[in-house]
Amino acid sequence: MALRMSTLFLRTLREDPADAELPGHRLLLRAGYIRRAAPGIYSWLPLGLRVLRRVERVVREEMDAIGGQELTFPALLPREPYEASGRWEEFGDNLFRLQDRRGNDMLLGPTHEEMFTLTVKDMVSSYKELPLTLYQIQTKYRDEARPRAGLLRGREFIMKDSYSFDVDDTGLQAAYQRHRDAYVRIFDRLGLDYVIVHAHSGAMGGSASEEFLAVSPHGEDTFVRCAASGYAANVEAVVVPQAPPVDASAVPPAHVEDTPGTPTIDTLVAAANAAHPRADGRAWTAADTLKNVLLMLTHPDGTREPLAIGLPGDREVDGKRLEAAVAPAEATPFGEADFAAYPVLAKGYIGPGVLGAGTEASGGSGIRYLLDPSVAEGSAWVTGADEDGKHVFDLVYGRDFTADGTIQAAEIREGDPSPDGAGPLTLARGIEMGHIFQLGRKYAEALGLRVLDENGKQVVVTMGSYGVGVSRAVAAVAEDTHDELGLCWPRELSPADVHLVATGKDREVFDAADRLVEELEQAGLEVVYDDRARVSPGVKFKDAELLGVPTIVVVGKGLAEGTVEIKDRVTGARRHVAVADAATQVVAEVRPGTPG
């Protein structure tokens, strides 16, 4: 039955909502597809729910095609499985925790690896029952500190999560490839411009991980690509190779110089060029300095650990790369109270001399010290001398100082060399739409998922985990396809096939529109029908453009000449067809290949 706008539960807005940041988010609200209930929590109104269900249909069809079996777990879950896997603490403040009336700890599920694992453990005992792929499309909950961008970063969202169970790694790799291929088909059908990138597994764990990112200037994820090789990776997953050693035999002994009033890299470079010029005549730059950044890590159990990161002074610590490198701990900058607890640290003039896990015996801080891998053994640096107003010059890594290891936390820049050595990197932004993991045996080990193999021996099952952001896909498509007039849904996702607009006051117009609607419905098309009697044509046209159904049919003044107008919402192309042929022509446009 047609969705008649005279009775449809819909209210469009002419002005952008004040709290909507991104274009697609604003349009979803203005067009009445969603409505904000609380920060990061949205209601799905009738048209929005139709789009959401179409995304779900695409996902289900492709999951079923690779042998996936659908089930649904509760959103309200007990603590014990997540405690056994370690994620009760690892999720930290992102987990919605609560207690029932008996005082039992519960949570709202952020993801369901534990539940899938335990269910298979209860029901599968032999390798003959594997391989197995299970999936669900269900609401998830994460207590985001800063929910924003509408459906793209919410506290309640809908995901498809699937899990493969195999007896060995060969089976896991085959399941991973099947899911990867299915995801390509899903995102092709959704009409997204996307890229597949190497990703960091994070708290999920596992050996291999890839993300499907919808390319968008509004995306929260930064990724890199190398045009020469096709290499692509999320910035968190870029592994900068260790710089090869360099010859330090010609570097003079390290020497401390007065550099008063130079607590920043810029002031240090200026003072070095003014008072301590290089012997080779080249000017000092920020890249010649070694910056030491102090952080405090807070682990899931609440323990705190200081950490120092050394990196070239022309680079900054990238927050997302740092987060991935120290997960599940959270990192915050050193505060005044932290500096007070370590008086050996000369704020603004900190050098490697007092850093390192084994320095306490020699009067150092004992703070673990990790270097960016671009710092080569034998390279010489200007860095803090651990005394106010002083820096040390020609300090050589490996000769004059050491570190406790390396860390992949420095920013990645446009033009940096690709890790595969094929050429320079370019940076772009994207929206994470899907993430696939080769989990391996992490959860099966933790929860005791074992089966008998063909030799009658107990073996630990190996798992894969595969997620698609279903509600996020609605937002991503809205961001990707809108124009200045409103939403522009691809046919696969549109809430209807046709938006039919009846304009004018004459009864004949509405009678003709009613007949055309009936013909379209008999042909199997779904119709949004603007049958509002006392609404101006201008308002109706604006609403049709805002709602974004790909084919708009106008029954109005052309009726006097025996024609109706068919408009393509995306291209704006218009044509007039005879009323008698209108239904056939519309069906042919909606379903190419249909005789018209």
Side-chain angles (χ1 to χ4, degrees), residues 505-524:
K505 299 178 181 179
D506 296 338
R507 186 66 253 171
E508 292 81 358
V509 168
F510 289 91
D511 289 342
D514 288 344
R515 289 192 295 271
L516 182 52
V517 168
E518 185 176 351
E519 291 181 66
L520 294 174
E521 289 186 314
Q522 288 176 350

Side-chain angles (χ1 to χ4, degrees), residues 16-217:
D16 289 335
D19 60 342
E21 306 166 26
L22 303 184
H25 181 202
R26 291 195 291 268
L27 290 170
L28 286 170
L29 289 166
R30 281 186 51 203
Y33 282 78
I34 60 173
R35 189 173 182 87
R36 182 180 180 272
I41 304 173
Y42 288 85
S43 302
W44 291 88
L45 302 181
L47 289 182
L49 191 60
R50 291 171 74 91
V51 176
L52 179 68
R53 295 294 182 243
R54 281 157 172 72
V55 176
E56 291 180 357
R57 181 187 64 200
V58 170
V59 172
R60 279 193 175 93
E61 289 174 357
E62 297 300 340
M63 287 303 304
D64 292 346
I66 63 169
Q69 299 180 60
E70 185 175 5
L71 47 69
T72 300
F73 286 109
L76 181 63
L77 300 167
R79 169 179 177 164
E80 288 75 16
Y82 289 80
E83 194 164 50
S85 68
R87 295 205 297 178
W88 177 261
E89 290 186 340
E90 283 180 11
F91 269 110
D93 291 339
N94 282 340
L95 200 64
F96 277 104
R97 295 175 170 84
L98 64 157
Q99 289 186 332
D100 66 16
R101 65 178 65 195
R102 297 176 180 84
N104 297 312
D105 286 325
M106 309 288 286
L107 69 146
L108 294 178
T111 182
H112 282 73
E113 282 77 10
E114 290 82 353
M115 301 307 296
F116 276 89
T117 305
L118 289 173
T119 300
V120 173
K121 177 183 176 181
D122 287 343
M123 299 180 65
V124 173
S125 59
S126 169
Y127 76 98
K128 295 179 181 179
E129 299 167 88
L130 302 178
L132 176 66
T133 295
L134 301 173
Y135 76 95
Q136 67 172 346
I137 297 175
Q138 198 236 34
T139 304
K140 313 287 188 181
Y141 301 87
R142 294 180 191 172
D143 194 4
E144 293 281 355
R146 293 175 298 279
R148 55 191 180 276
L151 300 174
L152 292 179
R153 193 175 181 88
R155 295 191 293 165
E156 177 185 276
F157 53 96
I158 298 169
M159 272 187 63
K160 186 282 299 181
D161 51 334
S162 58
Y163 302 84
S164 61
F165 301 86
D166 288 274
V167 75
D168 55 28
D169 291 341
T170 301
L172 169 60
Q173 289 160 12
Y176 185 90
Q177 188 61 48
R178 285 195 298 274
H179 274 83
R180 193 181 193 274
D181 294 343
Y183 277 34
V184 168
R185 293 190 294 271
I186 288 170
F187 295 119
D188 283 348
R189 289 179 63 181
L190 296 183
L192 288 168
D193 175 18
Y194 67 94
V195 63
I196 306 172
V197 303
H198 297 290
H200 190 274
S201 296
M204 292 288 289
S207 58
S209 169
E210 290 177 291
E211 284 182 2
F212 289 70
L213 299 179
V215 180
S216 170

Side-chain angles (χ1 to χ4, degrees), residues 438-477:
Q438 292 185 29
L439 282 183
R441 296 170 176 83
K442 173 181 176 179
Y443 295 94
E445 286 276 16
L447 299 169
L449 173 54
R450 293 175 172 82
V451 297
L452 293 175
D453 68 9
E454 58 187 355
N455 299 314
K457 180 182 176 182
Q458 287 270 339
V459 293
V460 179
V461 171
T462 185
M463 295 171 56
S465 175
Y466 318 91
V468 168
V470 174
S471 54
R472 177 176 284 203
V474 176
V477 172

Side-chain angles (χ1 to χ4, degrees), residues 313-498:
D314 64 336
R315 299 272 168 160
E316 299 295 335
V317 172
D318 181 288
K320 287 202 168 185
R321 281 172 60 77
L322 174 64
E323 179 183 349
V326 303
E330 294 184 357
T332 54
F334 245 48
E336 291 301 324
D338 298 319
F339 277 106
Y342 292 91
V344 70
L345 300 175
K347 188 177 180 182
Y349 300 88
I350 300 168
V354 297
L355 300 174
T359 60
E360 284 181 296
S362 58
S365 64
I367 295 174
R368 186 159 59 107
Y369 184 43
L370 302 178
L371 283 176
D372 184 75
S374 66
V375 178
E377 184 176 350
S379 57
W381 301 90
V382 180
T383 190
D386 302 309
E387 186 177 347
D388 189 63
K390 295 183 184 294
H391 282 86
V392 58
F393 288 66
D394 295 318
L395 192 75
V396 174
Y397 175 46
R399 184 191 74 181
D400 303 317
F401 73 99
T402 60
D404 298 311
T406 60
I407 186 169
Q408 301 280 342
E411 63 182 336
I412 304 296
R413 290 181 179 168
E414 185 91 13
D416 281 352
S418 175
D420 62 10
L425 294 173
T426 58
L427 272 69
R429 300 193 69 80
I431 300 167
E432 182 185 347
M433 295 305 310
H435 204 159
I436 56 178
F437 303 83
Q438 292 185 29
L439 282 183
R441 296 170 176 83
K442 173 181 176 179
Y443 295 94
E445 286 276 16
L447 299 169
L449 173 54
R450 293 175 172 82
V451 297
L452 293 175
D453 68 9
E454 58 187 355
N455 299 314
K457 180 182 176 182
Q458 287 270 339
V459 293
V460 179
V461 171
T462 185
M463 295 171 56
S465 175
Y466 318 91
V468 168
V470 174
S471 54
R472 177 176 284 203
V474 176
V477 172
E479 294 297 338
D480 190 42
T481 61
H482 72 273
D483 62 16
E484 70 279 1
L485 300 175
L487 298 164
C488 299
W489 296 112
R491 290 208 179 276
E492 186 92 58
L493 301 187
S494 177
D497 297 308
V498 181

